[in-house]
Amino acid sequence: MMTTGTVFLIDDEESMRMSVSQWLSLSDFHVDCFADAQSALKQIDAGFDGVVVSDIRMPGMDGLELLRTVLQLDDEIPVVLITAHGDIPMAVSAIREGAYDFLEKPFSPEILLETVKRAGEKRSLILENRKLRQQLTRVSGIEGKLLGNSDAIQVLHREIRDLGPTDASVFLVGETGCGKEVVAQCLHEASTRRDGPFVAINCGAIPENLFESEIFGHESGAFTGAHSRRIGKFESANHGTLFLDEVTAMPPNLQVKVLRALQERVIERLGGNQLIPFDTRIISATNSNPLKACMAGSFREDLYYRLNVAEIDIPPLRKRASDILLLFEYFSMRAAERYKRDIPSLPSEAIAILMAYRWPGNVRELKNAAERYVLCSLPARDRISYILQHTGIASAQGSSLTEQMVYFERCLIEQSLRRNQGNIVKVMEELDLPRRTLNQKMQNHGLVRKEYAEGRQ
Ligand SMILES: Nc1ncnc2c1ncn2[C@@H]1O[C@H](COP(=O)(O)OP(=O)(O)OP(=O)(O)O)[C@@H](O)[C@H]1O
Ligand SMILES: [Mg+2]
């Protein structure tokens, strides 16, 4: 039989233990009874997956002391205290010390059940998020930086591992917010230059008259206002990587100079007369089609081919829908940590909305949505409409219903696999699917059990 959760019930009075445990057992809780705090404590550790319900007044260690000891083990274990009738000041101080809630004697079975259920749900959520956090912190390197389970992300990881260690100039193409800068940093970290600098310059954001000094540097007195020598980006990225972001927006007269610098492998500071060799790997990026910019004449074709020894296309988020939930959970977890908030649960309606949305701002937009979701203090259900309004999801043109349903199904199975670390029996139970159907669906969605098994790198 499936249980709703575990409850440790501690009371020195046998009759109380009997009645309370009976009520809870009738609602499918698994109840362990203890006559004193010490013997319960022996079985509680930091990962305790349940709720502690304890009387306050007991001989030996009392409920408040038990509360303190439990919270020292893990301050997120919910402890519900049972207080004598009229002992409100005691109850209030217990809450202040971190008790989850209190029940004033005599209490009805409904109140008990409702409190314990709420506490149990909160606990499961906390443990689940801890597990996720652990999984996410266990992965390091590229996998820990460029997150995602989709095939597209796996391909990116491979391309980064293949191209990273070469000195080849890589050209990244992808919509806004889809992770071009993350990929550029991963390439840098996968290279032998990883101990050198990673220097980024946004070619679309620098006024044309400053561009040359920004990128090549200048000597003092090179122009009015140039009081001292300045080192340009090419030089400061020496022995490292220079990331030319929005490269197609580079002013045309500068394109010639950059091309020449790349061909000769030397630069000249503005107002200087010395040729300075540099050893810098170039990674460029654009969110618009570079060939179109070439055809329109705004981007030099010879520069494009010099920068594009290898091209990496980063697909938009809507084309790798199986990453949406993982990233959303990851960013809410990070935001919850940063703002010291609880990690809100994600009801299935919310998941469906997130999956169906087209995410024109890609991962950046998703990250913002996850942060707002954590910071929003509305109850879970209203939070969803809040996200809806604030990301314009409501007006979004989704993909077809069938496509969305396929995504959604894949995502739910994937989530369950991850939660249960690839334990098929648990997934069958959770999704209430016969083995054959589950296998079939996993096969259709290209999901492989092994990839979710514990200890996977
Ligand atoms: N796969 C990913 N895993 C984790 N974080 C990601 C991933 N992709 C993107 N991000 C995060 O999303 C945000 C946007 O990513 P990034 O700045 O790399 O996008 P971009 O393609 O350079 O965007 P733009 O075109 O607007 O410059 C960043 O905060 C980045 O850390
Ligand atoms: Mg960027």
Side-chain angles (χ1 to χ4, degrees), residues 353-427:
I353 289 167
L354 295 178
M355 301 289 295
Y357 182 49
R358 289 184 68 77
W359 300 107
N362 292 293
V363 186
R364 181 176 299 112
E365 185 183 8
L366 179 94
K367 186 176 176 184
N368 293 340
E371 288 203 356
R372 276 201 305 271
Y373 194 65
V374 168
L375 287 175
C376 164
S377 54
L378 295 168
R381 224 153 260 276
D382 306 329
R383 261 181 228 242
I384 305 158
S385 43
Y386 179 86
I387 311 192
L388 266 169
Q389 287 161 18
H390 288 78
T391 40
I393 293 177
S395 60
Q397 297 264 303
S399 19
S400 77
L401 179 65
T402 324
E403 258 174 347
Q404 291 177 45
M405 283 170 57
V406 171
Y407 279 153
F408 192 36
E409 180 180 271
R410 183 185 201 277
C411 197
L412 289 177
I413 298 175
E414 188 176 40
Q415 288 285 302
S416 179
L417 278 166
R418 191 147 55 80
R419 212 167 15 245
N420 296 302
Q421 286 159 351
N423 183 324
I424 292 294
V425 176
K426 285 194 182 154
V427 175

Side-chain angles (χ1 to χ4, degrees), residues 34 98 148 202 440 453:
F34 302 90
N202 186 332
Q440 189 61 53

Side-chain angles (χ1 to χ4, degrees), residues 227-286:
H227 298 301
S228 53
R229 168 189 284 175
R230 183 192 170 112
I231 301 296
K233 300 287 184 192
F234 264 105
E235 265 185 277
S236 46
N238 207 16
H239 304 305
T241 303
L242 177 62
F243 178 46
L244 300 173
D245 205 357
E246 287 190 47
V247 70
T248 50
M250 190 184 290
N253 64 327
L254 260 301
Q255 293 180 21
V256 192
K257 294 185 177 166
V258 168
L259 177 65
R260 196 173 319 125
L262 291 174
Q263 280 164 345
E264 316 283 326
R265 291 269 142 198
V266 287
I267 54 129
E268 205 170 342
R269 295 189 197 123
L270 233 74
N273 48 15
Q274 192 193 348
L275 291 175
I276 304 161
F278 63 88
D279 164 33
T280 303
R281 196 237 188 120
I282 310 289
I283 298 177
S284 327
T286 178

Side-chain angles (χ1 to χ4, degrees), residues 144-211:
K145 236 183 150 173
L146 186 70
L147 301 169
N149 285 325
S150 62
D151 295 345
I153 288 285
Q154 303 310 318
V155 169
L156 276 180
H157 286 169
R158 186 178 45 73
E159 287 177 324
I160 290 168
R161 271 192 294 266
D162 289 349
L163 290 172
T166 71
D167 255 350
S169 298
V170 179
F171 200 96
L172 307 172
V173 183
E175 286 181 14
T176 178
C178 71
K180 293 185 294 295
E181 184 142 3
V182 179
V183 170
Q185 282 166 349
C186 287
L187 283 165
H188 174 70
E189 266 157 44
S191 76
T192 50
R193 302 169 172 270
R194 71 179 75 87
D195 294 326
F198 176 88
V199 176
I201 178 170
N202 186 332
C203 305
I206 299 165
E208 189 165 347
N209 57 338
L210 296 182
F211 201 99

Side-chain angles (χ1 to χ4, degrees), residues 287-348:
N287 52 27
S288 54
N289 186 333
L291 285 171
K292 268 194 192 153
C294 289
M295 280 189 306
S298 59
F299 191 49
R300 293 182 65 103
E301 213 173 332
D302 46 6
L303 177 60
Y304 172 57
Y305 287 112
R306 162 88 29 188
L307 294 173
N308 186 344
V309 175
E311 180 168 315
I312 295 183
D313 293 301
I314 307 171
L317 194 55
R318 64 182 164 281
K319 295 221 173 126
R320 42 188 167 106
S322 57
D323 291 339
I324 292 175
L325 256 196
L326 173 87
L327 288 170
F328 193 85
E329 283 189 50
Y330 172 73
F331 291 128
S332 4
M333 200 174 77
R334 293 275 302 270
E337 239 165 50
R338 183 148 27 109
Y339 301 114
K340 307 222 170 336
R341 297 288 178 102
D342 284 341
I343 303 174
S345 62
L346 203 57
S348 48

